[in-house]
Amino acid sequence: MSKTVLVSGGAGFIGSHVTVGLSQAGYDVVIADNMSNCDETNYKGVCAILGKQLPFVKMDFCDAAAVDALFNKYRIDAVIHFAAYKAVGESVAEPLKYYKNNLGSFLNVLEASRAHGTHVLFSSSATVYGEPEKTPVTEESPRQEATSPYGNTKQMCEDFLRDCVRAYGIHGIALRYFNPIGAHPSALIGELPRGVPNNLVPYITQTAAGKRECLSIFGNDYPTEDGTCLRDYIDIVDLAKAHVCAVTRMLEDKMDEPYEIFNIGTGRPVSVLELVKAFEKVNGLKLNYKIAPRRAGDVTAIWADPTLAEKKLGWKATRSVEDTLASAWAWEKHIAGKN
Ligand code: UFG
């Protein structure tokens, strides 16, 4: 009998790609989302890609009774928790909003998981490493004090999961994502930022599409080769596959420890300027951009050592940054065509 995976935040950017990956790998998937930061585009795209309707529950994970009812209705073997606010700047301005939502919802997931013996995969972030002393970072690299409430919620949720695994006999995995970008090759699901995008790739594609006038490159005086920041841009479909590997590892009892952490990145640093130039080249267009002052809170350089994920999850990034940037542009054109 196939196993059932609950994807909280399954209508969002990462959740929708993970849902497709899980379903294609043979899992039954239940999507739950409060739609606070997305519309139905990705849910409809997921169903179109898979050629079937997946169960969808509109609910808020801060509502403990609703979470309890969901776990009682479906026999859930594992939950992947994405449902959270994710704007770094907003979290600085409104920390309580972030603490209440991101911590409260995860506590409810953990409570229900304890009651039902459900395994938990948490979507963490490379932000937990702060400005690393050494690059690339391994899972053993020290976590640094968070520079935003958003980052703090990632660290706290990792700790909540570790402690609950120890106490309640469930299994847990935290995946620390680097910079997820791109879209599904079908261009039916992708990132749908509300308002002005904070992240680089949606800003690039919106500029190319004429929705934004000019991309600002935040700083070219960093101590890197071309002066712009270095990041590890991980393709969203590759990222989704890492979740399938991690869920399978949990459900097939293949974990070495009941709580494990994996970096999910490519291991290749790419500068902001390199990314912009790669986007121009692969899509055959010129981007309007300018050099602007540094953005507060940005780290100079961070990229993953993904060795552990390869060794233990059997997972490795495969899609080139060019293919990923082509998919991001295809997605932008797809949504522009709908508006
Ligand atoms: N950048 C620009 N111009 C833009 C947007 C971004 O030059 O308009 C630069 C940034 O300065 C940075 C790089 O592009 O050097 C990547 O920026 P993103 O905002 O795309 O990504 P970050 O590395 O800042 O963000 C990531 C994750 C967040 C996480 C954050 C923590 O996407 O979820 O790290 O620092 F919270």
Side-chain angles (χ1 to χ4, degrees):
M1 206 173 82
S2 63
K3 304 257 184 189
T4 302
V5 182
L6 167 65
V7 181
S8 84
F13 172 45
I14 304 180
S16 58
H17 288 82
V18 168
T19 296
V20 168
L22 288 167
S23 181
Q24 287 175 335
Y27 289 105
D28 290 331
V29 185
V30 177
I31 300 173
D33 205 303
N34 68 358
M35 310 302 278
S36 69
N37 199 28
C38 61
D39 60 21
E40 287 185 346
T41 306
N42 278 331
Y43 174 66
K44 286 184 180 154
V46 164
C47 298
I49 292 166
L50 297 172
K52 64 178 178 189
Q53 291 293 115
L54 291 188
F56 173 81
V57 183
K58 184 164 188 281
M59 57 167 285
D60 191 334
F61 279 80
C62 289
D63 179 346
V67 177
D68 197 43
L70 183 70
F71 275 71
N72 283 324
K73 178 165 180 197
Y74 296 96
R75 193 191 44 76
I76 296 162
D77 298 290
V79 51
I80 306 184
H81 185 63
F82 294 110
Y85 295 147
K86 59 174 187 176
V88 178
E90 185 191 45
S91 81
V92 176
E94 294 197 64
L96 283 175
K97 176 176 170 182
Y98 275 67
Y99 288 131
K100 275 193 203 154
N101 184 66
N102 293 10
L103 304 181
S105 61
F106 194 47
L107 289 173
N108 288 337
V109 165
L110 289 170
E111 187 74 61
S113 298
R114 168 172 78 147
H116 293 264
T118 305
H119 300 319
V120 180
L121 195 161
F122 176 64
S123 63
S124 191
S125 163
T127 192
V128 302
Y129 297 117
E131 175 93 61
E133 270 168 33
K134 272 200 281 182
T135 43
V137 290
T138 71
E139 292 77 359
E140 301 300 317
S141 300
R143 290 191 329 192
Q144 313 261 10
E145 195 179 326
T147 52
S148 71
Y150 163 80
N152 208 13
T153 66
K154 291 295 178 195
Q155 298 202 0
M156 291 165 96
C157 286
E158 283 192 355
D159 294 345
F160 292 175
L161 180 56
R162 178 202 60 208
D163 295 346
C164 289
V165 164
R166 269 188 203 146
Y168 305 135
I170 57 176
H171 295 170
I173 290 183
L175 297 183
R176 291 177 177 161
Y177 317 143
F178 284 69
N179 289 57
I181 61 165
H184 193 267
S186 65
L188 291 172
I189 55 176
E191 197 168 2
L192 276 172
R194 291 226 161 131
V196 182
N198 291 313
N199 296 115
L200 180 59
V201 170
Y203 210 105
I204 290 176
T205 58
Q206 289 197 6
T207 305
K211 286 189 199 164
R212 311 275 155 214
E213 209 172 299
C214 181
L215 168 76
S216 291
I217 293 185
F218 298 138
N220 68 347
D221 57 351
Y222 285 95
T224 62
E225 211 162 289
D226 64 21
T228 64
C229 294
L230 300 175
R231 294 288 185 275
D232 184 334
Y233 296 94
I234 174 73
D235 178 82
I236 188 68
V237 177
D238 277 337
L239 180 72
K241 284 185 190 145
H243 291 74
V244 177
C245 295
V247 160
T248 304
R249 182 173 170 87
M250 285 201 291
L251 292 176
E252 293 185 356
D253 236 341
K254 296 205 169 120
M255 295 171 70
D256 295 335
E257 306 285 338
Y259 173 61
E260 295 179 329
I261 298 172
F262 297 102
N263 283 343
I264 304 299
T266 66
R268 285 188 308 272
V270 175
S271 78
V272 176
L273 260 178
E274 280 172 333
L275 198 83
V276 167
K277 296 209 165 113
F279 180 84
E280 290 184 324
K281 188 159 178 222
V282 71
N283 295 311
L285 41 82
K286 279 308 263 175
L287 200 70
N288 194 18
Y289 69 84
K290 63 172 188 216
I291 305 298
R294 290 183 178 197
R295 181 172 71 176
D298 275 339
V299 303
T300 303
I302 183 164
W303 68 95
D305 177 340
T307 311
L308 193 68
E310 183 169 0
K311 203 164 131 207
K312 306 264 181 187
L313 296 178
W315 172 89
K316 190 170 154 185
T318 57
R319 217 169 171 201
S320 71
V321 79
E322 287 78 15
D323 285 352
T324 305
L325 290 170
S327 75
W329 180 227
W331 165 248
E332 183 67 53
K333 286 188 286 188
H334 171 75
I335 46 177
K338 291 178 75 180
N339 292 329

